[in-house]
mmCIF file of all heavy atoms in Angstrom:
data_model
loop_
_atom_site.group_PDB
_atom_site.id
_atom_site.type_symbol
_atom_site.label_atom_id
_atom_site.label_comp_id
_atom_site.label_asym_id
_atom_site.label_seq_id
_atom_site.Cartn_x
_atom_site.Cartn_y
_atom_site.Cartn_z
ATOM 1 N N SER A 1 4.278 4.923 -9.142
ATOM 2 C CA SER A 1 4.002 6.343 -9.432
ATOM 3 C C SER A 1 2.804 6.421 -10.354
ATOM 4 O O SER A 1 2.484 5.464 -11.054
ATOM 5 C CB SER A 1 5.227 6.996 -10.074
ATOM 6 O OG SER A 1 5.555 6.384 -11.273
ATOM 7 N N GLY A 2 2.148 7.562 -10.329
ATOM 8 C CA GLY A 2 1.049 7.779 -11.254
ATOM 9 C C GLY A 2 -0.268 7.157 -10.819
ATOM 10 O O GLY A 2 -1.179 6.985 -11.669
ATOM 11 N N THR A 3 -0.381 6.801 -9.551
ATOM 12 C CA THR A 3 -1.614 6.143 -9.091
ATOM 13 C C THR A 3 -1.809 6.404 -7.597
ATOM 14 O O THR A 3 -0.843 6.689 -6.872
ATOM 15 C CB THR A 3 -1.566 4.632 -9.335
ATOM 16 O OG1 THR A 3 -2.810 4.068 -8.852
ATOM 17 C CG2 THR A 3 -0.429 3.972 -8.608
ATOM 18 N N MET A 4 -3.076 6.268 -7.172
ATOM 19 C CA MET A 4 -3.387 6.311 -5.742
ATOM 20 C C MET A 4 -3.089 4.958 -5.166
ATOM 21 O O MET A 4 -3.981 4.125 -4.896
ATOM 22 C CB MET A 4 -4.882 6.661 -5.562
ATOM 23 C CG MET A 4 -5.220 8.072 -6.030
ATOM 24 S SD MET A 4 -4.489 9.326 -4.982
ATOM 25 C CE MET A 4 -5.468 9.145 -3.520
ATOM 26 N N PHE A 5 -1.827 4.710 -4.971
ATOM 27 C CA PHE A 5 -1.292 3.429 -4.613
ATOM 28 C C PHE A 5 -2.015 2.763 -3.430
ATOM 29 O O PHE A 5 -2.290 1.553 -3.441
ATOM 30 C CB PHE A 5 0.188 3.560 -4.300
ATOM 31 C CG PHE A 5 0.833 2.349 -3.720
ATOM 32 C CD1 PHE A 5 1.212 1.307 -4.567
ATOM 33 C CD2 PHE A 5 1.130 2.257 -2.389
ATOM 34 C CE1 PHE A 5 1.830 0.172 -4.068
ATOM 35 C CE2 PHE A 5 1.751 1.152 -1.856
ATOM 36 C CZ PHE A 5 2.095 0.096 -2.698
ATOM 37 N N SER A 6 -2.331 3.571 -2.423
ATOM 38 C CA SER A 6 -2.877 3.028 -1.184
ATOM 39 C C SER A 6 -4.227 2.357 -1.348
ATOM 40 O O SER A 6 -4.649 1.570 -0.500
ATOM 41 C CB SER A 6 -2.971 4.141 -0.129
ATOM 42 O OG SER A 6 -3.881 5.132 -0.580
ATOM 43 N N MET A 7 -4.908 2.592 -2.444
ATOM 44 C CA MET A 7 -6.272 2.099 -2.619
ATOM 45 C C MET A 7 -6.306 0.655 -3.141
ATOM 46 O O MET A 7 -7.336 0.015 -3.102
ATOM 47 C CB MET A 7 -7.006 2.983 -3.633
ATOM 48 C CG MET A 7 -7.223 4.392 -3.217
ATOM 49 S SD MET A 7 -7.920 5.399 -4.519
ATOM 50 C CE MET A 7 -9.429 4.505 -4.884
ATOM 51 N N TYR A 8 -5.169 0.154 -3.637
ATOM 52 C CA TYR A 8 -5.193 -1.061 -4.424
ATOM 53 C C TYR A 8 -4.386 -2.224 -3.803
ATOM 54 O O TYR A 8 -3.430 -2.018 -3.074
ATOM 55 C CB TYR A 8 -4.645 -0.783 -5.818
ATOM 56 C CG TYR A 8 -5.408 0.321 -6.505
ATOM 57 C CD1 TYR A 8 -4.817 1.548 -6.713
ATOM 58 C CD2 TYR A 8 -6.723 0.112 -6.949
ATOM 59 C CE1 TYR A 8 -5.535 2.558 -7.349
ATOM 60 C CE2 TYR A 8 -7.427 1.123 -7.554
ATOM 61 C CZ TYR A 8 -6.839 2.332 -7.768
ATOM 62 O OH TYR A 8 -7.521 3.349 -8.390
ATOM 63 N N VAL A 9 -4.820 -3.420 -4.211
ATOM 64 C CA VAL A 9 -4.055 -4.605 -3.870
ATOM 65 C C VAL A 9 -2.707 -4.558 -4.613
ATOM 66 O O VAL A 9 -2.670 -4.199 -5.791
ATOM 67 C CB VAL A 9 -4.832 -5.875 -4.287
ATOM 68 C CG1 VAL A 9 -3.944 -7.123 -4.115
ATOM 69 C CG2 VAL A 9 -6.082 -6.020 -3.441
ATOM 70 N N ALA A 10 -1.659 -4.957 -3.935
ATOM 71 C CA ALA A 10 -0.334 -5.025 -4.543
ATOM 72 C C ALA A 10 0.298 -6.369 -4.174
ATOM 73 O O ALA A 10 -0.149 -7.016 -3.222
ATOM 74 C CB ALA A 10 0.541 -3.886 -4.057
ATOM 75 N N GLY A 11 1.270 -6.772 -4.919
ATOM 76 C CA GLY A 11 1.905 -8.049 -4.636
ATOM 77 C C GLY A 11 3.078 -8.363 -5.479
ATOM 78 O O GLY A 11 3.535 -7.527 -6.261
ATOM 79 N N TRP A 12 3.501 -9.618 -5.359
ATOM 80 C CA TRP A 12 4.662 -10.124 -6.064
ATOM 81 C C TRP A 12 4.368 -11.482 -6.685
ATOM 82 O O TRP A 12 3.796 -12.345 -6.035
ATOM 83 C CB TRP A 12 5.862 -10.248 -5.133
ATOM 84 C CG TRP A 12 6.352 -8.988 -4.569
ATOM 85 C CD1 TRP A 12 5.889 -8.367 -3.402
ATOM 86 C CD2 TRP A 12 7.368 -8.135 -5.080
ATOM 87 N NE1 TRP A 12 6.607 -7.187 -3.222
ATOM 88 C CE2 TRP A 12 7.516 -7.041 -4.221
ATOM 89 C CE3 TRP A 12 8.221 -8.216 -6.199
ATOM 90 C CZ2 TRP A 12 8.427 -6.010 -4.445
ATOM 91 C CZ3 TRP A 12 9.155 -7.216 -6.391
ATOM 92 C CH2 TRP A 12 9.241 -6.137 -5.538
ATOM 93 N N TYR A 13 4.779 -11.632 -7.928
ATOM 94 C CA TYR A 13 4.832 -12.915 -8.606
ATOM 95 C C TYR A 13 6.295 -13.232 -8.864
ATOM 96 O O TYR A 13 7.156 -12.372 -8.787
ATOM 97 C CB TYR A 13 4.105 -12.853 -9.961
ATOM 98 C CG TYR A 13 2.622 -13.093 -9.909
ATOM 99 C CD1 TYR A 13 1.757 -12.125 -9.394
ATOM 100 C CD2 TYR A 13 2.068 -14.252 -10.412
ATOM 101 C CE1 TYR A 13 0.393 -12.331 -9.376
ATOM 102 C CE2 TYR A 13 0.693 -14.470 -10.388
ATOM 103 C CZ TYR A 13 -0.124 -13.497 -9.862
ATOM 104 O OH TYR A 13 -1.494 -13.715 -9.874
ATOM 105 N N ARG A 14 6.531 -14.486 -9.204
ATOM 106 C CA ARG A 14 7.875 -14.845 -9.678
ATOM 107 C C ARG A 14 7.776 -15.841 -10.820
ATOM 108 O O ARG A 14 6.778 -16.557 -10.923
ATOM 109 C CB ARG A 14 8.725 -15.423 -8.539
ATOM 110 C CG ARG A 14 8.253 -16.765 -7.995
ATOM 111 C CD ARG A 14 9.088 -17.151 -6.790
ATOM 112 N NE ARG A 14 8.676 -18.429 -6.240
ATOM 113 C CZ ARG A 14 9.171 -18.931 -5.103
ATOM 114 N NH1 ARG A 14 10.083 -18.271 -4.411
ATOM 115 N NH2 ARG A 14 8.741 -20.116 -4.672
ATOM 116 N N GLN A 15 8.809 -15.878 -11.627
ATOM 117 C CA GLN A 15 8.848 -16.806 -12.745
ATOM 118 C C GLN A 15 10.266 -17.359 -12.875
ATOM 119 O O GLN A 15 11.212 -16.627 -13.131
ATOM 120 C CB GLN A 15 8.424 -16.168 -14.045
ATOM 121 C CG GLN A 15 8.256 -17.140 -15.171
ATOM 122 C CD GLN A 15 7.499 -16.543 -16.357
ATOM 123 O OE1 GLN A 15 7.411 -15.328 -16.531
ATOM 124 N NE2 GLN A 15 6.913 -17.403 -17.185
ATOM 125 N N ALA A 16 10.345 -18.656 -12.712
ATOM 126 C CA ALA A 16 11.622 -19.361 -12.866
ATOM 127 C C ALA A 16 11.732 -19.848 -14.320
ATOM 128 O O ALA A 16 10.697 -20.033 -15.016
ATOM 129 C CB ALA A 16 11.738 -20.526 -11.912
ATOM 130 N N PRO A 17 12.945 -20.086 -14.811
ATOM 131 C CA PRO A 17 13.105 -20.557 -16.196
ATOM 132 C C PRO A 17 12.290 -21.808 -16.470
ATOM 133 O O PRO A 17 12.355 -22.775 -15.679
ATOM 134 C CB PRO A 17 14.596 -20.786 -16.293
ATOM 135 C CG PRO A 17 15.227 -19.917 -15.294
ATOM 136 C CD PRO A 17 14.238 -19.867 -14.147
ATOM 137 N N GLY A 18 11.517 -21.812 -17.528
ATOM 138 C CA GLY A 18 10.767 -22.984 -17.919
ATOM 139 C C GLY A 18 9.510 -23.229 -17.108
ATOM 140 O O GLY A 18 8.859 -24.261 -17.256
ATOM 141 N N LYS A 19 9.180 -22.297 -16.187
ATOM 142 C CA LYS A 19 8.008 -22.472 -15.344
ATOM 143 C C LYS A 19 7.026 -21.330 -15.529
ATOM 144 O O LYS A 19 7.394 -20.253 -16.023
ATOM 145 C CB LYS A 19 8.418 -22.573 -13.881
ATOM 146 C CG LYS A 19 9.249 -23.808 -13.547
ATOM 147 C CD LYS A 19 9.447 -23.932 -12.049
ATOM 148 C CE LYS A 19 10.204 -25.191 -11.727
ATOM 149 N NZ LYS A 19 10.395 -25.343 -10.248
ATOM 150 N N GLN A 20 5.807 -21.582 -15.095
ATOM 151 C CA GLN A 20 4.781 -20.514 -15.167
ATOM 152 C C GLN A 20 5.010 -19.496 -14.064
ATOM 153 O O GLN A 20 5.583 -19.819 -13.007
ATOM 154 C CB GLN A 20 3.395 -21.143 -15.023
ATOM 155 C CG GLN A 20 2.915 -21.933 -16.245
ATOM 156 C CD GLN A 20 1.462 -22.330 -16.144
ATOM 157 O OE1 GLN A 20 0.953 -22.534 -15.051
ATOM 158 N NE2 GLN A 20 0.800 -22.388 -17.293
ATOM 159 N N ARG A 21 4.531 -18.291 -14.323
ATOM 160 C CA ARG A 21 4.595 -17.256 -13.310
ATOM 161 C C ARG A 21 3.647 -17.657 -12.146
ATOM 162 O O ARG A 21 2.526 -18.094 -12.387
ATOM 163 C CB ARG A 21 4.154 -15.914 -13.917
ATOM 164 C CG ARG A 21 4.447 -14.746 -13.049
ATOM 165 C CD ARG A 21 4.148 -13.407 -13.771
ATOM 166 N NE ARG A 21 5.057 -13.170 -14.872
ATOM 167 C CZ ARG A 21 5.167 -11.989 -15.489
ATOM 168 N NH1 ARG A 21 4.395 -10.958 -15.123
ATOM 169 N NH2 ARG A 21 6.015 -11.840 -16.482
ATOM 170 N N GLU A 22 4.122 -17.503 -10.943
ATOM 171 C CA GLU A 22 3.327 -17.903 -9.775
ATOM 172 C C GLU A 22 3.241 -16.752 -8.765
ATOM 173 O O GLU A 22 4.195 -15.999 -8.596
ATOM 174 C CB GLU A 22 3.921 -19.155 -9.089
ATOM 175 C CG GLU A 22 5.291 -18.958 -8.509
ATOM 176 C CD GLU A 22 5.767 -20.146 -7.663
ATOM 177 O OE1 GLU A 22 4.957 -21.026 -7.372
ATOM 178 O OE2 GLU A 22 6.965 -20.138 -7.284
ATOM 179 N N LEU A 23 2.104 -16.690 -8.082
ATOM 180 C CA LEU A 23 1.910 -15.677 -7.050
ATOM 181 C C LEU A 23 2.731 -16.023 -5.841
ATOM 182 O O LEU A 23 2.692 -17.153 -5.356
ATOM 183 C CB LEU A 23 0.428 -15.573 -6.680
ATOM 184 C CG LEU A 23 0.102 -14.607 -5.584
ATOM 185 C CD1 LEU A 23 0.386 -13.160 -6.008
ATOM 186 C CD2 LEU A 23 -1.363 -14.733 -5.166
ATOM 187 N N VAL A 24 3.488 -15.084 -5.346
ATOM 188 C CA VAL A 24 4.297 -15.260 -4.162
ATOM 189 C C VAL A 24 3.571 -14.689 -2.942
ATOM 190 O O VAL A 24 3.448 -15.356 -1.904
ATOM 191 C CB VAL A 24 5.665 -14.558 -4.322
ATOM 192 C CG1 VAL A 24 6.481 -14.651 -3.028
ATOM 193 C CG2 VAL A 24 6.413 -15.146 -5.489
ATOM 194 N N ALA A 25 3.106 -13.452 -3.033
ATOM 195 C CA ALA A 25 2.468 -12.803 -1.890
ATOM 196 C C ALA A 25 1.670 -11.622 -2.391
ATOM 197 O O ALA A 25 2.005 -11.038 -3.454
ATOM 198 C CB ALA A 25 3.503 -12.342 -0.860
ATOM 199 N N ARG A 26 0.628 -11.280 -1.648
ATOM 200 C CA ARG A 26 -0.198 -10.125 -1.973
ATOM 201 C C ARG A 26 -0.586 -9.408 -0.693
ATOM 202 O O ARG A 26 -0.632 -10.045 0.393
ATOM 203 C CB ARG A 26 -1.452 -10.509 -2.778
ATOM 204 C CG ARG A 26 -2.370 -11.383 -2.039
ATOM 205 C CD ARG A 26 -3.480 -11.935 -2.947
ATOM 206 N NE ARG A 26 -4.450 -10.931 -3.380
ATOM 207 C CZ ARG A 26 -5.496 -10.607 -2.668
ATOM 208 N NH1 ARG A 26 -5.763 -11.146 -1.500
ATOM 209 N NH2 ARG A 26 -6.378 -9.697 -3.173
ATOM 210 N N ILE A 27 -0.897 -8.107 -0.812
ATOM 211 C CA ILE A 27 -1.306 -7.323 0.344
ATOM 212 C C ILE A 27 -2.402 -6.384 -0.092
ATOM 213 O O ILE A 27 -2.295 -5.727 -1.117
ATOM 214 C CB ILE A 27 -0.087 -6.589 0.974
ATOM 215 C CG1 ILE A 27 -0.476 -5.831 2.236
ATOM 216 C CG2 ILE A 27 0.582 -5.649 -0.052
ATOM 217 C CD1 ILE A 27 0.736 -5.385 3.056
ATOM 218 N N THR A 28 -3.446 -6.338 0.695
ATOM 219 C CA THR A 28 -4.593 -5.488 0.360
ATOM 220 C C THR A 28 -4.366 -4.056 0.885
ATOM 221 O O THR A 28 -3.397 -3.756 1.549
ATOM 222 C CB THR A 28 -5.889 -6.051 0.979
ATOM 223 O OG1 THR A 28 -5.824 -5.871 2.408
ATOM 224 C CG2 THR A 28 -6.066 -7.507 0.633
ATOM 225 N N SER A 29 -5.324 -3.177 0.525
ATOM 226 C CA SER A 29 -5.242 -1.795 0.960
ATOM 227 C C SER A 29 -5.317 -1.700 2.490
ATOM 228 O O SER A 29 -4.759 -0.765 3.079
ATOM 229 C CB SER A 29 -6.351 -0.955 0.314
ATOM 230 O OG SER A 29 -7.597 -1.523 0.632
ATOM 231 N N SER A 30 -5.957 -2.693 3.130
ATOM 232 C CA SER A 30 -6.047 -2.702 4.604
ATOM 233 C C SER A 30 -4.923 -3.550 5.207
ATOM 234 O O SER A 30 -4.990 -3.852 6.401
ATOM 235 C CB SER A 30 -7.427 -3.235 5.024
ATOM 236 O OG SER A 30 -7.611 -4.545 4.534
ATOM 237 N N LYS A 31 -3.959 -3.918 4.377
ATOM 238 C CA LYS A 31 -2.750 -4.629 4.811
ATOM 239 C C LYS A 31 -3.002 -6.087 5.233
ATOM 240 O O LYS A 31 -2.196 -6.655 5.978
ATOM 241 C CB LYS A 31 -2.010 -3.851 5.872
ATOM 242 C CG LYS A 31 -1.522 -2.474 5.381
ATOM 243 C CD LYS A 31 -0.606 -1.764 6.319
ATOM 244 C CE LYS A 31 -0.182 -0.440 5.710
ATOM 245 N NZ LYS A 31 0.727 0.326 6.600
ATOM 246 N N GLN A 32 -4.067 -6.681 4.747
ATOM 247 C CA GLN A 32 -4.192 -8.147 4.869
ATOM 248 C C GLN A 32 -3.265 -8.789 3.870
ATOM 249 O O GLN A 32 -3.123 -8.308 2.765
ATOM 250 C CB GLN A 32 -5.662 -8.563 4.636
ATOM 251 C CG GLN A 32 -6.606 -8.075 5.730
ATOM 252 C CD GLN A 32 -8.020 -8.567 5.486
ATOM 253 O OE1 GLN A 32 -8.529 -8.513 4.372
ATOM 254 N NE2 GLN A 32 -8.657 -9.062 6.527
ATOM 255 N N THR A 33 -2.693 -9.900 4.273
ATOM 256 C CA THR A 33 -1.691 -10.546 3.443
ATOM 257 C C THR A 33 -2.041 -11.988 3.124
ATOM 258 O O THR A 33 -2.744 -12.653 3.893
ATOM 259 C CB THR A 33 -0.304 -10.498 4.097
ATOM 260 O OG1 THR A 33 -0.385 -11.154 5.377
ATOM 261 C CG2 THR A 33 0.149 -9.083 4.328
ATOM 262 N N ASN A 34 -1.528 -12.461 1.992
ATOM 263 C CA ASN A 34 -1.634 -13.879 1.584
ATOM 264 C C ASN A 34 -0.300 -14.286 1.017
ATOM 265 O O ASN A 34 0.382 -13.463 0.360
ATOM 266 C CB ASN A 34 -2.697 -14.071 0.538
ATOM 267 C CG ASN A 34 -4.097 -13.666 1.017
ATOM 268 O OD1 ASN A 34 -4.559 -12.580 0.748
ATOM 269 N ND2 ASN A 34 -4.751 -14.565 1.729
#
């Protein structure tokens, strides 16, 4: 909320106990994924 969401890259990170936060997946405004 509070943003033009569709314009921006969005994604997910995760962090397990004792580990660094890591990128899980990302999606661009044109719906390309990594």
Side-chain angles (χ1 to χ4, degrees):
S1 61
T3 180
M4 294 291 289
F5 172 79
S6 62
M7 297 173 58
Y8 303 110
V9 171
W12 295 87
Y13 274 74
R14 67 185 180 187
Q15 188 166 22
K19 295 188 176 181
Q20 288 189 329
R21 193 173 292 193
E22 63 172 350
L23 178 65
V24 176
R26 63 190 289 274
I27 184 166
T28 69
S29 57
S30 59
K31 300 189 178 180
Q32 292 183 315
T33 59
N34 299 97

